[in-house]
Amino acid sequence: EKLMDFIKLNTQKLNIPKLIQACERHCHWQHAVFLYTHYDEFDQAANTMMAHSPVAFAHDQFLMILQKVSNLEIYYRAIKFYLEENPMQLNSLLNAIISKIDHARVVQQVKKAG
């Protein structure tokens, strides 16, 4: 908690890439996600949230980050992630990214998942 307070107060003064590396090295995944978003690395933020979901995932924050990702494959990884770990909120995810995905591919992906 103290680390997050420090980061929020001093974001402009910090060397964010080095701090991200330190956060990852010491498994401070929530802090790493916060830093990625402030450094405009939304793809990395989304990947980190999915890879370390027990501690780093927050549905609303994830949807906000997905609106800004540049790699389209992350949308499909996010759908797979929601199917496996958060199926009750899949509809919310799909509504948020509906204009950016290939619907046929999503249908195929859902059928494959069972």
Side-chain angles (χ1 to χ4, degrees), residues 33-90:
V33 168
F34 179 82
L35 290 166
Y36 278 130
T37 57
H38 275 49
Y39 200 55
D40 295 334
E41 289 286 336
F42 300 106
D43 293 6
Q44 279 299 110
N47 285 329
T48 301
M49 287 181 92
M50 288 186 283
H52 305 284
S53 62
V55 292
F57 181 78
H59 175 69
D60 294 331
Q61 182 184 18
F62 188 71
L63 292 181
M64 181 204 70
I65 289 170
L66 276 184
Q67 298 301 317
K68 300 175 183 177
V69 297
S70 58
N71 184 351
L72 297 179
E73 284 302 310
I74 291 176
Y75 296 132
Y76 302 105
R77 278 188 249 141
I79 292 168
K80 182 180 181 208
F81 170 77
Y82 269 74
L83 284 168
E84 293 171 355
E85 294 197 26
N86 210 354
M88 297 306 287
Q89 293 182 321
L90 178 62

Side-chain angles (χ1 to χ4, degrees), residues 83 104-114:
L83 284 168
R105 182 172 173 185
V106 172
V107 169
Q108 184 180 30
Q109 185 176 0
V110 172
K111 281 182 181 178
K112 209 184 266 187

Side-chain angles (χ1 to χ4, degrees), residues 7-8 22 26 29 32 39 43 45 47 49 51 54 58 71 79 92-95 97 103 106:
I7 291 170
K8 286 180 180 179
H26 298 287
W29 304 115
Y39 200 55
D43 293 6
N47 285 329
M49 287 181 92
N71 184 351
I79 292 168
S92 176
L93 169 73
L94 292 174
N95 283 329
I97 62 173
H103 299 180
V106 172

